[in-house]
Amino acid sequence: MDINKAYKNIGTETAFDILAKAEQLKSQGKDVINLGIGQPDFLSPDHVVEAAVKAMTDGHHGYTPANGILKLREAVAKNIYEFRGIEVDPSNILIMPGAKPIMYFAIILFGNPNSEIMYPNPGFPIYESAINLTGAKAVPIELNENNSFSFNAESVLEKINDKTKLIILNSPANPTGGVLDQKELDILAKGLEKYPNIAILSDEIYSRIIYDNIKFNSLLKYEHLHERLIILDGWSKTYAMTGWRLGWSLWPKKLIQIATRLAINTYSCVNAPTQFAGIAALSGPQDHFDSMLKEFDKRRMIIYKKLNSINNLSCILPKGAFYAFANIKKTGMTSKEAQDLILEKANVASVAGTSFGNFGEGYVRFSYAASSENIEEAMNRIDSLF
Ligand code: PLP
């Protein structure tokens, strides 16, 4: 068969391969602890589940508007105002089946063989994969442990040329747990005034999962960027709803129609019961989220201390999300070797830093969205390996 050559360049999210491998080992009777996949180990809030069931029994079985039910888009606009302090028009919001398709839409809108797209590296692997798929040049924004995995705005601005079409940022970040430094963001936002045609995709999926009272700073703060800023967020992480597939995106006026058309060309709309669940999540009680965040924070301190007590491993304190990005350079192993050793000898699933880009070499990502007992046990097992 003659498949389209472009698809040869498609990458993947290794966490899903590792999840499959961990499940396979479990089925062979191995006691695997999964610190690989990035999803809350909590059930979705009860009132969210009830809202979906009610929508089903109330007969919401048909298509909805492609951009999402108006009540849901209004709830998102209210939430944006509450947590980002900016008023937005619900007509600029597009509800999508998970947050992932948002990055895909944004990247295919700007990627072509003559364009360049900048993306964080190490970063969520789908950015680089989707950029490669379009034939655009993927230009890494290198993130370093020595500046707490923030970024250097001047070096981003220096890499801009007339082929640069889109800049992707992610904060709080996967896989590093880093939060982009406010001063660097100010420099970047100021510098971008000179380049009005460059679009920005701000992946803010971990906007609520941030610790130590650090203030979350959305890119929406920069009003002069609004006409070219795409915001990505959703329900997966905040409301423990990864499997529901529900995300929201905010698009500039000039792009919302084309993004909605992409939705019509692909999935038509998100299923209605899930959208009703989304309304309940945003408008209902938030105690589920509050206690989940407290629990993540507790686990963050456990994994941080444990990792730093293991011979040849170290880790800086994550500021957001639920990942610890451990430095394994002193072991002399590659990230992949360490990941495989940890899975095979300690029965602990983790993800090699290189799964998030070449600048992830020397690191292994541990998700601490697992119980404290499992984290402690996993760290004890790993301790005996190094
Ligand atoms: N963006 C980042 C940085 C993520 O880590 C993830 C999921 O792991 C996503 C987006 C995708 O979210 P969703 O599961 O809602 O598609």
Side-chain angles (χ1 to χ4, degrees), residues 264-307:
I264 295 168
N265 272 265
T266 48
Y267 57 81
S268 298
C269 64
V270 174
N271 74 79
T274 293
Q275 294 192 53
F276 279 93
I279 298 171
L282 294 180
S283 324
Q286 300 295 306
D287 50 323
H288 177 282
F289 168 76
D290 295 340
S291 51
M292 190 172 75
L293 187 65
K294 260 195 208 129
E295 187 59 34
F296 283 152
D297 195 7
K298 196 175 95 192
R299 298 167 182 184
R300 173 178 76 121
M301 297 314 293
I302 294 174
I303 199 162
Y304 164 71
K305 284 185 189 143
K306 286 267 176 188
L307 279 170

Side-chain angles (χ1 to χ4, degrees), residues 12 79 130-131 141 153 166 178 250 261 281 294-295 308 316 346 351-352 354 367 371 373 375 381:
T12 188
N79 184 269
I131 297 168
I141 299 173
L166 176 70
L250 178 73
R261 285 194 176 173
K294 260 195 208 129
E295 187 59 34
N308 283 301
I316 60 168
V351 185
T354 41
S367 160
S371 71
E373 297 73 41
I375 293 170
R381 290 187 199 172

